[in-house]
Protein backbone atom coordinates (compact mmCIF):
# COMPACT_ATOMS: atom_id res chain seq x y z
CA UNK A 1 0.00 0.00 0.00
CA UNK A 2 1.52 3.30 -1.11
CA UNK A 3 1.04 5.84 1.71
CA UNK A 4 -0.82 8.87 0.35
CA UNK A 5 0.24 11.27 3.08
CA UNK A 6 3.59 11.89 1.37
CA UNK A 7 3.56 15.50 0.22
CA UNK A 8 5.37 14.77 -3.08
CA UNK A 9 2.90 12.00 -3.93
CA UNK A 10 -0.07 14.25 -3.18
CA UNK A 11 1.28 17.12 -5.28
CA UNK A 12 1.97 14.75 -8.17
CA UNK A 13 -1.54 13.20 -8.08
CA UNK A 14 -3.28 16.54 -7.76
CA UNK A 15 -1.33 18.21 -10.56
CA UNK A 16 -1.90 15.26 -12.94
CA UNK A 17 -5.65 15.63 -12.28
CA UNK A 18 -5.51 19.43 -12.62
CA UNK A 19 -6.98 19.73 -9.12
CA UNK A 20 -7.09 23.01 -7.19
CA UNK A 21 -8.25 23.23 -3.55
CA UNK A 22 -11.71 24.57 -2.80
CA UNK A 23 -11.74 26.72 0.34
CA UNK A 24 -15.53 26.68 0.33
CA UNK A 25 -15.56 22.89 0.68
CA UNK A 26 -13.09 22.96 3.58
CA UNK A 27 -10.39 21.17 1.61
CA UNK A 28 -7.33 20.93 3.85
CA UNK A 29 -5.71 17.58 3.13
CA UNK A 30 -3.62 15.72 5.72
CA UNK A 31 0.08 15.45 4.93
CA UNK A 32 1.33 14.31 8.33
CA UNK A 33 1.93 10.54 7.96
CA UNK A 34 1.39 9.72 11.64
CA UNK A 35 -2.16 11.06 11.96
CA UNK A 36 -4.30 8.77 9.80
CA UNK A 37 -2.99 5.38 11.05
CA UNK A 38 -3.54 6.57 14.63
CA UNK A 39 -7.00 7.90 13.89
CA UNK A 40 -8.07 4.73 12.05
CA UNK A 41 -6.73 2.56 14.88
CA UNK A 42 -8.74 4.50 17.50
CA UNK A 43 -11.93 4.64 15.42
CA UNK A 44 -13.03 1.07 16.15
CA UNK A 45 -12.45 -0.02 12.52
CA UNK A 46 -11.59 -3.73 12.45
CA UNK A 47 -12.94 -7.16 11.65
CA UNK A 48 -16.72 -7.27 11.37
CA UNK A 49 -16.91 -3.48 11.23
CA UNK A 50 -18.21 -1.19 8.48
CA UNK A 51 -16.99 2.42 8.33
CA UNK A 52 -18.66 5.53 6.97
CA UNK A 53 -16.10 8.17 6.04
CA UNK A 54 -17.14 11.73 5.21
CA UNK A 55 -14.96 13.68 2.79
CA UNK A 56 -12.20 11.23 1.77
CA UNK A 57 -10.31 13.89 -0.23
CA UNK A 58 -7.61 11.93 -2.07
CA UNK A 59 -8.06 8.96 0.29
CA UNK A 60 -5.30 9.36 2.87
CA UNK A 61 -7.47 8.26 5.80
CA UNK A 62 -9.64 6.01 3.64
CA UNK A 63 -6.71 3.72 2.82
CA UNK A 64 -5.98 3.15 6.52
CA UNK A 65 -9.66 2.42 7.19
CA UNK A 66 -9.87 0.00 4.21
CA UNK A 67 -6.85 -1.88 5.56
CA UNK A 68 -8.57 -2.43 8.93
CA UNK A 69 -12.33 -2.69 8.32
CA UNK A 70 -14.53 -5.17 6.45
CA UNK A 71 -16.04 -2.39 4.37
CA UNK A 72 -15.74 1.39 3.95
CA UNK A 73 -18.29 3.70 2.36
CA UNK A 74 -16.80 7.14 1.68
CA UNK A 75 -19.05 10.08 0.88
CA UNK A 76 -17.36 12.87 -1.12
CA UNK A 77 -19.22 15.94 -2.38
CA UNK A 78 -16.56 17.10 -4.87
CA UNK A 79 -16.96 15.22 -8.14
CA UNK A 80 -13.44 16.23 -9.24
CA UNK A 81 -12.08 13.89 -6.55
CA UNK A 82 -13.90 10.79 -7.80
CA UNK A 83 -11.37 9.95 -10.58
CA UNK A 84 -8.56 10.77 -8.13
CA UNK A 85 -9.95 8.26 -5.62
CA UNK A 86 -10.35 5.67 -8.39
CA UNK A 87 -6.61 5.99 -9.00
CA UNK A 88 -5.41 6.19 -5.39
CA UNK A 89 -7.66 3.50 -3.87
CA UNK A 90 -8.21 1.21 -6.87
CA UNK A 91 -6.53 -1.69 -5.02
CA UNK A 92 -9.30 -1.93 -2.37
CA UNK A 93 -12.32 -4.06 -3.20
CA UNK A 94 -13.95 -3.29 0.17
CA UNK A 95 -14.49 0.40 -0.68
CA UNK A 96 -17.51 2.17 -2.12
CA UNK A 97 -17.30 5.89 -2.94
CA UNK A 98 -20.53 7.87 -3.08
CA UNK A 99 -20.46 11.29 -4.77
CA UNK A 100 -22.96 13.24 -2.66
CA UNK A 101 -23.50 15.80 0.08
CA UNK A 102 -23.47 13.93 3.39
CA UNK A 103 -26.06 16.34 4.81
CA UNK A 104 -28.55 15.24 2.16
CA UNK A 105 -28.04 11.49 2.49
CA UNK A 106 -30.37 9.08 4.27
CA UNK A 107 -27.68 7.47 6.42
CA UNK A 108 -30.01 4.96 8.07
CA UNK A 109 -30.80 3.58 4.61
CA UNK A 110 -27.13 3.63 3.65
CA UNK A 111 -26.30 1.53 6.73
CA UNK A 112 -29.14 -0.90 6.02
CA UNK A 113 -28.08 -1.27 2.37
CA UNK A 114 -24.31 -1.45 2.83
CA UNK A 115 -23.47 -2.84 6.26
CA UNK A 116 -25.78 -5.81 6.88
CA UNK A 117 -24.55 -7.81 9.88
CA UNK A 118 -21.68 -5.45 10.66
CA UNK A 119 -21.07 -3.09 13.54
CA UNK A 120 -20.78 0.44 12.17
CA UNK A 121 -18.54 3.40 13.04
CA UNK A 122 -17.97 6.83 11.48
CA UNK A 123 -14.48 8.23 10.96
CA UNK A 124 -13.66 11.53 9.23
CA UNK A 125 -11.49 14.58 8.97
CA UNK A 126 -14.48 16.91 8.79
CA UNK A 127 -14.65 20.04 6.67
CA UNK A 128 -14.74 22.88 9.23
CA UNK A 129 -17.67 24.71 7.67
CA UNK A 130 -20.13 21.93 8.51
CA UNK A 131 -18.70 20.44 11.72
CA UNK A 132 -21.76 21.00 13.92
CA UNK A 133 -24.45 20.17 11.32
CA UNK A 134 -22.69 16.91 10.43
CA UNK A 135 -22.19 15.85 14.05
CA UNK A 136 -25.77 16.74 14.95
CA UNK A 137 -27.11 14.88 11.90
CA UNK A 138 -25.11 11.76 12.80
CA UNK A 139 -26.53 11.89 16.34
CA UNK A 140 -30.09 13.08 15.66
CA UNK A 141 -30.66 10.50 12.91
CA UNK A 142 -30.23 7.88 15.69
CA UNK A 143 -27.99 5.73 13.54
CA UNK A 144 -27.05 2.26 14.79
CA UNK A 145 -23.39 3.24 15.24
CA UNK A 146 -20.89 2.67 18.06
CA UNK A 147 -18.40 5.52 17.61
CA UNK A 148 -17.95 8.76 15.72
CA UNK A 149 -14.25 9.61 15.48
CA UNK A 150 -13.73 13.01 13.91
CA UNK A 151 -11.06 15.62 13.41
CA UNK A 152 -12.40 19.14 13.94
CA UNK A 153 -11.04 22.56 14.91
CA UNK A 154 -9.34 22.24 18.29
CA UNK A 155 -11.61 24.87 19.86
CA UNK A 156 -14.72 23.05 18.66
CA UNK A 157 -13.39 19.77 20.08
CA UNK A 158 -12.63 21.43 23.43
CA UNK A 159 -16.13 22.87 23.59
CA UNK A 160 -17.81 19.57 22.68
CA UNK A 161 -15.68 17.59 25.13
CA UNK A 162 -16.23 20.08 28.00
CA UNK A 163 -18.25 18.95 31.03
CA UNK A 164 -21.92 19.89 30.90
CA UNK A 165 -22.22 22.42 33.74
CA UNK A 166 -18.76 23.93 33.16
CA UNK A 167 -17.80 27.37 31.80
CA UNK A 168 -16.80 25.99 28.38
CA UNK A 169 -20.16 24.26 27.92
CA UNK A 170 -22.38 25.47 25.04
CA UNK A 171 -25.60 24.29 23.38
CA UNK A 172 -23.65 21.86 21.21
CA UNK A 173 -21.93 20.35 24.31
CA UNK A 174 -25.28 19.64 25.93
CA UNK A 175 -26.75 18.26 22.71
CA UNK A 176 -23.77 15.98 21.99
CA UNK A 177 -23.70 14.76 25.60
CA UNK A 178 -27.35 13.77 25.35
CA UNK A 179 -26.47 11.21 22.65
CA UNK A 180 -22.88 10.27 23.45
CA UNK A 181 -19.90 10.43 25.74
CA UNK A 182 -17.28 12.63 24.02
CA UNK A 183 -13.61 11.92 24.51
CA UNK A 184 -10.66 14.04 23.37
CA UNK A 185 -8.04 11.82 21.70
CA UNK A 186 -5.15 13.94 20.40
CA UNK A 187 -4.23 17.31 18.90
CA UNK A 188 -3.05 17.89 15.34
CA UNK A 189 -1.04 21.01 14.40
CA UNK A 190 -2.08 23.29 11.54
CA UNK A 191 1.16 22.36 9.74
CA UNK A 192 -0.12 18.79 9.27
CA UNK A 193 -2.36 19.95 6.42
CA UNK A 194 -2.04 21.19 2.87
CA UNK A 195 -2.94 24.01 2.60
CA UNK A 196 -2.33 24.77 6.29
CA UNK A 197 -5.40 26.24 8.02
CA UNK A 198 -5.08 29.14 10.49
CA UNK A 199 -5.97 27.03 13.52
CA UNK A 200 -4.96 23.72 15.09
CA UNK A 201 -7.21 20.67 15.03
CA UNK A 202 -8.02 17.80 17.36
CA UNK A 203 -9.37 14.30 17.03
CA UNK A 204 -12.22 13.35 19.34
CA UNK A 205 -14.35 10.24 19.66
CA UNK A 206 -18.04 10.26 20.51
CA UNK A 207 -18.99 7.00 22.19
CA UNK A 208 -22.63 6.77 21.15
CA UNK A 209 -25.12 5.73 23.84
CA UNK A 210 -27.65 2.99 23.15
CA UNK A 211 -29.93 4.80 25.63
CA UNK A 212 -29.70 8.54 26.38
CA UNK A 213 -28.56 9.34 29.95
CA UNK A 214 -31.80 11.26 30.69
CA UNK A 215 -35.34 10.05 30.07
CA UNK A 216 -37.54 12.18 27.85
CA UNK A 217 -40.85 11.86 26.07
CA UNK A 218 -40.04 14.59 23.57
CA UNK A 219 -36.39 15.03 22.46
CA UNK A 220 -37.31 18.07 20.33
CA UNK A 221 -38.50 20.03 23.36
CA UNK A 222 -35.22 19.23 25.11
CA UNK A 223 -33.21 20.73 22.23
CA UNK A 224 -35.50 23.76 22.01
CA UNK A 225 -34.87 24.40 25.72
CA UNK A 226 -31.10 23.90 25.40
CA UNK A 227 -30.88 26.29 22.42
CA UNK A 228 -33.05 28.89 24.16
CA UNK A 229 -31.06 28.71 27.40
CA UNK A 230 -27.75 29.27 25.56
CA UNK A 231 -29.12 31.77 23.01
CA UNK A 232 -27.98 34.70 25.15
CA UNK A 233 -25.38 33.01 27.29
CA UNK A 234 -24.38 36.15 29.20
CA UNK A 235 -27.95 36.55 30.43
CA UNK A 236 -29.58 34.59 33.20
CA UNK A 237 -31.30 31.38 32.22
CA UNK A 238 -34.60 33.08 33.11
CA UNK A 239 -34.04 35.95 30.68
CA UNK A 240 -32.55 33.83 27.91
CA UNK A 241 -35.35 31.24 27.91
CA UNK A 242 -38.20 33.75 28.24
CA UNK A 243 -36.93 36.11 25.53
CA UNK A 244 -35.82 33.36 23.09
CA UNK A 245 -39.10 31.49 23.35
CA UNK A 246 -41.35 34.55 23.76
CA UNK A 247 -42.68 33.34 27.13
CA UNK A 248 -43.88 35.41 30.12
CA UNK A 249 -41.03 35.95 32.58
CA UNK A 250 -43.27 35.09 35.53
CA UNK A 251 -44.21 31.74 33.97
CA UNK A 252 -40.55 30.84 33.28
CA UNK A 253 -39.51 31.98 36.77
CA UNK A 254 -42.08 29.68 38.42
CA UNK A 255 -41.19 26.83 36.11
CA UNK A 256 -37.48 27.10 36.98
CA UNK A 257 -38.26 27.19 40.69
CA UNK A 258 -40.45 24.08 40.33
CA UNK A 259 -37.46 22.40 38.65
CA UNK A 260 -35.29 23.51 41.60
CA UNK A 261 -33.14 25.66 39.30
CA UNK A 262 -32.02 29.15 40.34
CA UNK A 263 -33.58 31.47 37.69
CA UNK A 264 -30.59 33.82 38.07
CA UNK A 265 -27.98 31.21 37.08
CA UNK A 266 -26.38 31.02 33.62
CA UNK A 267 -27.11 28.17 31.19
CA UNK A 268 -23.52 26.92 31.50
CA UNK A 269 -24.21 25.99 35.14
CA UNK A 270 -27.08 23.63 34.26
CA UNK A 271 -26.71 19.86 34.03
CA UNK A 272 -28.37 17.61 31.42
CA UNK A 273 -30.95 16.56 33.99
CA UNK A 274 -31.86 20.25 34.57
CA UNK A 275 -32.55 20.82 30.87
CA UNK A 276 -34.51 17.56 30.80
CA UNK A 277 -36.62 18.61 33.77
CA UNK A 278 -37.45 21.96 32.14
CA UNK A 279 -38.36 20.14 28.89
CA UNK A 280 -40.69 17.76 30.79
CA UNK A 281 -42.62 20.62 32.42
CA UNK A 282 -42.55 23.50 29.93
CA UNK A 283 -45.63 24.32 27.79
CA UNK A 284 -44.64 25.61 24.36
N1 LIG B 1 -10.04 13.10 4.36
C1 LIG B 1 -9.17 13.98 3.62
C2 LIG B 1 -7.91 14.25 4.43
O1 LIG B 1 -7.95 14.02 5.65
O2 LIG B 1 -6.92 14.67 3.85
C3 LIG B 1 -9.85 15.31 3.26
C4 LIG B 1 -10.40 16.09 4.42
S1 LIG B 1 -10.92 17.73 4.01
C5 LIG B 1 -10.75 18.51 5.59
C6 LIG B 1 -12.70 17.63 3.89
C7 LIG B 1 -13.25 16.82 2.71
O3 LIG B 1 -14.69 16.84 2.81
C8 LIG B 1 -12.94 17.36 1.33
O4 LIG B 1 -12.54 16.29 0.51
C9 LIG B 1 -14.26 17.98 0.84
O5 LIG B 1 -14.39 17.98 -0.55
C10 LIG B 1 -15.28 17.07 1.52
N2 LIG B 1 -16.61 17.67 1.77
C11 LIG B 1 -16.90 18.97 2.00
N3 LIG B 1 -18.22 19.12 2.21
C12 LIG B 1 -18.79 17.88 2.10
C13 LIG B 1 -20.13 17.41 2.19
N4 LIG B 1 -21.15 18.23 2.47
N5 LIG B 1 -20.37 16.08 2.00
C14 LIG B 1 -19.32 15.25 1.74
N6 LIG B 1 -18.04 15.65 1.62
C15 LIG B 1 -17.76 16.94 1.81
Amino acid sequence: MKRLSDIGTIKDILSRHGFSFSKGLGQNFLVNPSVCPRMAELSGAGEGVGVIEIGPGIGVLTQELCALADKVVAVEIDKRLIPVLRETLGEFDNLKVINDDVLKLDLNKLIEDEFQGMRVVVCANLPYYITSPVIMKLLEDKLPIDYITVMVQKEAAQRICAEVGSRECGAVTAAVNFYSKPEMLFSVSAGSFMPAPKVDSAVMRLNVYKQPPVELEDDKKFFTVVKAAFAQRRKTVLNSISSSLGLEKQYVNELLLECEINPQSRAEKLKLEDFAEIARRISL
Side-chain angles (χ1 to χ4, degrees):
M1 180 169 92
K2 187 175 176 185
R3 281 257 151 83
L4 294 168
S5 49
D6 173 65
I7 203 157
T9 310
I10 298 178
K11 279 187 175 160
D12 170 56
I13 295 167
L14 295 181
S15 86
R16 272 193 292 104
H17 286 266
F19 182 85
S20 53
F21 293 97
S22 158
K23 225 177 174 184
L25 290 178
Q27 289 177 343
N28 302 94
F29 293 173
L30 268 164
V31 292
N32 177 338
S34 69
V35 176
C36 291
R38 199 166 164 206
M39 211 175 149
E41 196 68 48
L42 293 168
S43 72
E47 231 177 67
V49 177
V51 184
I52 301 175
E53 189 195 2
I54 298 152
I58 68 158
V60 64
L61 173 62
T62 324
Q63 68 173 182
E64 304 296 336
L65 295 168
C66 285
L68 293 176
D70 278 10
K71 183 169 181 182
V72 176
V73 173
V75 182
E76 173 57 62
I77 197 171
D78 189 344
K79 70 173 188 311
R80 300 172 305 155
L81 287 167
I82 307 305
V84 177
L85 288 163
R86 218 173 280 133
E87 176 185 329
T88 55
L89 302 176
E91 71 189 275
F92 295 106
D93 56 11
N94 60 343
L95 169 69
K96 178 168 180 174
V97 177
I98 298 178
N99 180 206
D100 212 333
D101 178 347
V102 71
L103 292 173
K104 293 192 180 143
L105 274 185
D106 180 344
L107 293 173
N108 269 304
K109 183 167 183 320
L110 184 150
I111 290 174
E112 217 178 289
D113 292 348
E114 305 290 344
F115 297 120
Q116 280 291 331
M118 295 179 217
R119 280 178 293 119
V120 181
V121 301
V122 174
C123 186
N125 171 12
L126 286 181
Y128 292 156
Y129 78 108
I130 46 168
T131 300
S132 292
V134 170
I135 290 176
M136 288 321 296
K137 177 184 167 69
L138 294 169
L139 294 170
E140 283 173 353
D141 283 0
K142 303 208 167 107
L143 306 173
I145 51 179
D146 294 344
Y147 306 112
I148 300 170
T149 306
V150 280
M151 171 140 37
V152 298
Q153 274 193 21
K154 196 171 184 176
E155 262 187 19
Q158 281 165 337
R159 182 161 283 249
I160 289 172
C161 296
E163 287 257 326
V164 179
S166 73
R167 238 163 66 97
E168 296 76 29
C169 176
V172 71
T173 322
V176 169
N177 275 268
F178 176 74
Y179 291 111
S180 68
K181 178 153 188 45
E183 192 183 347
M184 186 70 103
L185 296 182
F186 58 93
S187 301
V188 180
S189 68
S192 302
F193 300 88
M194 184 174 78
K198 289 201 178 73
V199 289
D200 289 337
S201 296
V203 178
M204 62 177 185
R205 184 172 57 208
L206 310 180
N207 304 290
V208 182
Y209 293 132
K210 303 278 175 262
Q211 285 290 328
V214 289
E215 260 182 55
L216 285 169
E217 266 175 32
D218 185 348
D219 293 7
K220 273 204 188 121
K221 248 189 194 177
F222 173 84
F223 293 109
T224 305
V225 168
V226 168
K227 269 189 209 146
F230 281 102
Q232 292 153 304
R233 53 181 299 138
R234 293 225 187 98
K235 288 196 178 174
T236 63
V237 70
L238 166 63
N239 285 340
S240 192
I241 291 182
S242 55
S243 75
S244 307
L245 298 178
L247 297 169
E248 287 282 338
K249 247 187 175 179
Q250 196 186 336
Y251 165 70
V252 178
N253 193 48
E254 280 166 18
L255 173 79
L256 291 170
L257 291 173
E258 273 171 30
C259 298
E260 297 181 15
I261 296 165
N262 178 354
Q264 298 308 316
S265 50
R266 306 268 186 269
E268 66 204 33
K269 289 270 180 255
L270 271 53
K271 305 274 187 212
L272 277 192
E273 186 50 41
D274 296 326
F275 293 114
E277 192 56 23
I278 302 172
R280 286 182 202 117
R281 291 170 184 255
I282 200 166
S283 307
L284 295 175

